[in-house]
Amino acid sequence: MLSGKCQKDALYRTVVSVPGTDLFKVKMPYVTVCLSCFLYFISHIPGDFGAEISLWNIEINAKQDSAVFRKTLFANTTIFLKFKGDAMSCDDQMTFNISWYLRSSVCFNEVFNTGDSKAMGLFGRNDMLKDGWSGHYSQSFIFFDNCSVLFTPQSYYKEFAPVHPLVSTWAEESVLNQSVTNPFEDKPTIGAVAKAWSDSPYLFIVRVEMGHREGGEEERSTSTPNGYSFTMTVEMKGPHEYSSPADWPLMMFYMVMCIMYVFFGALWLLWSVCYWKDLLRIQFWIGAVIFLGMLEKAVFYSEYQSIRYNGDYVQGAVIFAELLSALKRSLARILMLIVSLGYGIVRPRLGTTVHRLVAVGLLYLLFSSVEGVLRVTGSFYGTVALLANISLSLIDSCVMWWIYISLSQTTRLLKLRRNVVKLSLYRHFTNTLIFSVLASIVFVIWTTKVFKLVDCQTGWRDLWVDDAFWRLLFSTILLVIMVLLRPSVNSQRFSHSPLIDDDNEEEEDEAKEPMLSKAFEGMKMRGTKPDTNDAQKLLSKEDEDLKWVEENIPISVADVALPVILDEEEEMQKAEMERSKME
């Protein structure tokens, strides 16, 4: 019988061809890396929008006498203006003229991709920026005689201002003068200045002009008197409190995902408690990723709830959510790598690979944390944004390359060992990854066509899907890993089992790792022809010495004494036969 080393060498020289299992070709990893790099770079470039707040406090002074606000609003959302300041330090002769302009558009990019300076140029305009970019507008002003009146809460209008449609630049005079009947039946409440007429992206612009009254006559100036300032509060409250139609579906999505991760955690905890004696090391990693995912979804959901009820979010909580998300994504990539490497299933330990795994995880955690914090604090633009995106794209591409290379090696080793249980597990995992890549390609093509390669982004209601898809895709992969590697009474059949020589241990090993039967019928076996010469060539010098010892050196005294006794009896029989012949 061949030794373990020779069996292993002979096993690696055996080539097994199984129809339908050649999922990994030589060029497959290269194509996968290119696609992964492209998918990541396209899908992870943050846009100019995020969680929309509904409460702003703007300091009005000599340098800041106007403000631009952008937000998607539900129909019947009310816009409030409030002013706070020190009335004692205000000159009694000062006057204030507050003018505002509210404009809606069917194009999301017209509202959110227009800079402040260009948006200020739209103040008072009744025409479309481009033909086909339809919408409506409304405008009015409020005049205050002094500071006391400005800081006193009051109802500014008896009814809301009328709504006018935006017209083309070549429209006739009759079209330019038409107006829409006031669609609002209710009366303005205290501080209300305008009301949204439909679900749409809105641009709200406020201008503040201060002046003086001299000799009973009013004199206005476009500049703010030196040394005086006050706070203007803009509030937008609708049917769902402060939530916007762009963020409402995403908040519901995080609520569902939070419930789903709670279910994942409860199910995994139940499995772990029932089969705690048979747990594998990789199953602890899966539990850690589930816990972090549950915590991440809960923090993001609480963030959107804070915006819904308070109109704004706590920046520290948002930074914590981004850091937690970065940690979860880093551990998720490490989990994918250790599953692909076959840790605890094909390989008993990772060895020096652990250092590379830690390095990749720390690099991804560093760059994703920097990207998230800068994006939340508003510093994510220009060279910093480009550098962060390129770094994350390269790291993710290396991770995807490593995953597919490791999967290729692991599945090839399982084919050579003919372990149908583990091979079936990795084939399901591989099919899941291939499906995720194909789904990502289809989704990127769809989002590029709908959101990026259009002149007018009318599908703004579906923008939440761009963020939700990637989180849902990972949750699907995590669910597949949970099902494939769930704790059970037979968990140890997935654990690592080395190649051994003892006959009894081989029988036990075969019982744990069933040999292929019908699944490998018709396969080609090359290099397995029994040949004593080939077998002798595989023997090492130590094995040959051991074989010589077994053949030439006796093990016990009986092996030495028995041949001597047999030889003496044969000689005595021959002597008696010779005597009988002579007589």
Side-chain angles (χ1 to χ4, degrees), residues 38-73:
F38 172 74
L39 293 175
Y40 183 87
F41 192 77
I42 292 296
S43 61
H44 287 70
I45 296 178
D48 296 332
F49 55 90
E52 299 178 1
I53 62 175
S54 299
L55 186 64
W56 298 267
N57 293 310
I58 307 299
E59 190 74 16
I60 302 298
N61 49 43
K63 297 181 179 179
Q64 180 73 29
D65 60 354
S66 60
V68 180
F69 308 92
R70 301 171 181 84
K71 185 175 173 62
T72 57
L73 299 176

Side-chain angles (χ1 to χ4, degrees), residues 101-173:
Y101 175 77
L102 182 63
R103 179 190 181 105
S104 68
S105 176
V106 296
C107 303
F108 182 87
N109 51 309
E110 177 184 349
V111 175
F112 286 87
N113 293 352
T114 303
D116 289 349
S117 58
K118 187 176 181 180
M120 290 301 301
L122 297 176
F123 191 92
R125 290 179 55 175
N126 63 348
D127 59 324
M128 307 177 190
L129 284 181
K130 294 183 180 180
D131 292 337
W133 291 20
S134 60
H136 295 78
Y137 75 97
S138 179
Q139 60 181 349
S140 185
F141 68 93
I142 315 168
F143 181 76
F144 300 96
D145 289 335
N146 52 58
C147 297
S148 299
V149 178
L150 176 67
F151 300 147
T152 301
Q154 57 184 296
S155 179
Y156 301 131
Y157 303 105
K158 295 181 179 180
E159 61 181 12
F160 289 105
V163 180
H164 304 268
L166 296 175
V167 297
S168 301
T169 54
W170 46 267
E172 298 179 356
E173 187 67 23

Side-chain angles (χ1 to χ4, degrees), residues 204-372:
F204 185 60
I205 306 173
V206 180
R207 281 182 176 177
V208 178
E209 297 179 352
M210 296 184 185
H212 280 86
R213 291 193 307 271
E214 294 183 0
E217 296 181 359
E218 178 187 337
E219 293 184 2
R220 298 180 186 176
S221 64
T222 58
S223 60
T224 305
N226 295 330
Y228 185 74
S229 63
F230 62 92
T231 302
M232 177 179 67
T233 302
V234 179
E235 183 180 359
M236 301 181 183
K237 196 171 185 179
H240 297 287
E241 303 297 331
Y242 294 105
S243 293
S244 66
D247 289 342
W248 180 260
L250 198 57
M251 185 181 69
M252 295 294 103
F253 169 78
Y254 278 117
M255 182 185 69
V256 174
M257 291 295 294
C258 186
I259 296 174
M260 187 174 71
Y261 268 88
V262 170
F263 172 75
F264 284 176
L267 184 61
W268 195 257
L269 182 62
L270 179 63
W271 279 338
S272 301
V273 170
C274 292
Y275 307 104
W276 63 273
K277 292 184 179 180
D278 299 317
L279 290 178
L280 304 176
R281 295 177 183 177
I282 194 173
Q283 290 169 343
F284 290 97
W285 280 90
I286 297 174
V289 173
I290 294 173
F291 174 75
L292 286 177
M294 178 173 58
L295 188 59
E296 176 203 18
K297 299 302 182 294
V299 171
F300 275 111
Y301 177 66
S302 63
E303 172 194 341
Y304 280 92
Q305 283 286 358
S306 175
I307 295 176
R308 177 185 179 183
Y309 292 109
N310 301 322
D312 201 356
Y313 53 79
V314 180
Q315 192 176 42
V318 178
I319 292 177
F320 173 73
E322 291 294 337
L323 295 177
L324 188 63
S325 178
L327 178 61
K328 192 267 293 185
R329 284 180 285 157
S330 302
L331 288 183
R333 280 154 177 78
I334 294 178
L335 173 64
M336 299 281 287
L337 281 171
I338 62 177
V339 171
S340 303
L341 288 167
Y343 172 62
I345 299 176
V346 177
R347 304 173 60 178
R349 59 188 61 86
L350 295 176
T352 58
T353 310
V354 174
H355 304 293
R356 287 182 286 175
L357 282 173
V358 172
V360 170
L362 290 179
L363 280 176
Y364 189 88
L365 177 62
L366 174 63
F367 283 102
S368 57
S369 300
V370 171
E371 182 265 340

Side-chain angles (χ1 to χ4, degrees), residues 329-434:
R329 284 180 285 157
S330 302
L331 288 183
R333 280 154 177 78
I334 294 178
L335 173 64
M336 299 281 287
L337 281 171
I338 62 177
V339 171
S340 303
L341 288 167
Y343 172 62
I345 299 176
V346 177
R347 304 173 60 178
R349 59 188 61 86
L350 295 176
T352 58
T353 310
V354 174
H355 304 293
R356 287 182 286 175
L357 282 173
V358 172
V360 170
L362 290 179
L363 280 176
Y364 189 88
L365 177 62
L366 174 63
F367 283 102
S368 57
S369 300
V370 171
E371 182 265 340
V373 172
L374 291 179
R375 179 160 38 84
V376 168
T377 56
S379 303
F380 195 73
Y381 57 86
T383 307
V384 177
L386 182 62
L387 180 61
N389 280 318
I390 292 176
S391 301
L392 287 175
S393 178
L394 291 176
I395 295 174
D396 231 12
S397 300
C398 294
V399 169
M400 294 300 295
W401 166 273
W402 197 356
I403 287 175
Y404 280 94
I405 287 294
S406 302
L407 273 178
S408 176
Q409 296 174 352
T410 303
T411 52
R412 180 176 178 273
L413 180 59
L414 291 175
K415 291 176 191 176
L416 294 176
R417 289 187 177 182
R418 306 177 191 176
N419 189 323
V420 71
V421 176
K422 297 180 182 179
L423 183 60
S424 176
L425 182 148
Y426 272 90
R427 288 172 67 182
H428 284 91
F429 180 64
T430 302
N431 293 335
T432 302
L433 292 185
I434 293 176

Side-chain angles (χ1 to χ4, degrees), residues 521-541:
E521 289 181 0
M523 67 182 180
K524 297 179 181 180
M525 300 287 292
R526 297 193 297 271
T528 58
K529 181 179 179 182
D531 191 351
T532 57
N533 295 330
D534 294 339
Q536 292 293 336
K537 292 179 181 179
L538 292 174
L539 290 175
S540 62
K541 187 177 184 303

